[in-house]
Amino acid sequence: MLMFLFLVIALAVVVAAVTLAVVGGGESAPLPEVAPERLQDPLPSDRPVGAADVESLRFPVAPRGYRMADVDDALGRLGAELAERDARIADLESALAGARAAATHTHPAPHARPETAEGPEEQR
């Protein structure tokens, strides 16, 4: 009987402790809002984004997944920079093709000497 009484008292203490922990110990103020987790290492703003920047990019997890605003900002930035690079590459390739065409037109390739029946050593 003494053991049963001890178990009832222990159970009452545990229930009281859990109730106080859940209710907050009698405080009437609600818990303060936690600031949302933000992107720790955002993409660099002072230089172009590199492959290492993209590989190290980790989005913080919000209660229902990633913060959409952070993901949208990063993807928008990457998309704009990639479009700018593609346009720059296209301009450079066009300029290179124009320069090659101009060089070929101004300096034609040397003509090969016609070969005779004799070998190259005999032509001297």
Side-chain angles (χ1 to χ4, degrees):
M1 176 78 174
L2 186 61
M3 183 62 125
F4 178 71
L5 185 61
F6 176 74
L7 287 176
V8 169
I9 292 173
L11 182 63
V13 170
V14 170
V15 168
V18 169
T19 303
L20 283 176
V22 170
V23 173
E27 294 179 17
S28 61
L31 294 175
E33 286 293 321
V34 177
E37 200 177 330
R38 299 297 297 174
L39 194 59
Q40 293 296 322
D41 297 316
L43 296 173
S45 59
D46 58 339
R47 62 178 171 76
V49 175
D53 298 321
V54 175
E55 289 174 8
S56 67
L57 189 61
R58 298 291 177 263
F59 295 104
V61 178
R64 288 185 279 163
Y66 295 108
R67 291 182 45 85
M68 288 194 292
D70 288 338
V71 175
D72 290 344
D73 290 345
L75 292 177
R77 169 86 187 279
L78 288 172
E81 285 198 20
L82 289 173
E84 183 180 324
R85 287 181 190 173
D86 288 346
R88 179 76 175 138
I89 288 170
D91 289 345
L92 291 172
E93 287 176 343
S94 175
L96 180 61
R100 284 183 177 162
T104 302
H105 183 64
T106 342
H107 303 291
H111 296 293
R113 291 189 291 180
E115 290 191 28
T116 60
E118 306 164 349
E121 296 172 5
E122 297 175 12
Q123 288 181 357
R124 289 190 230 176

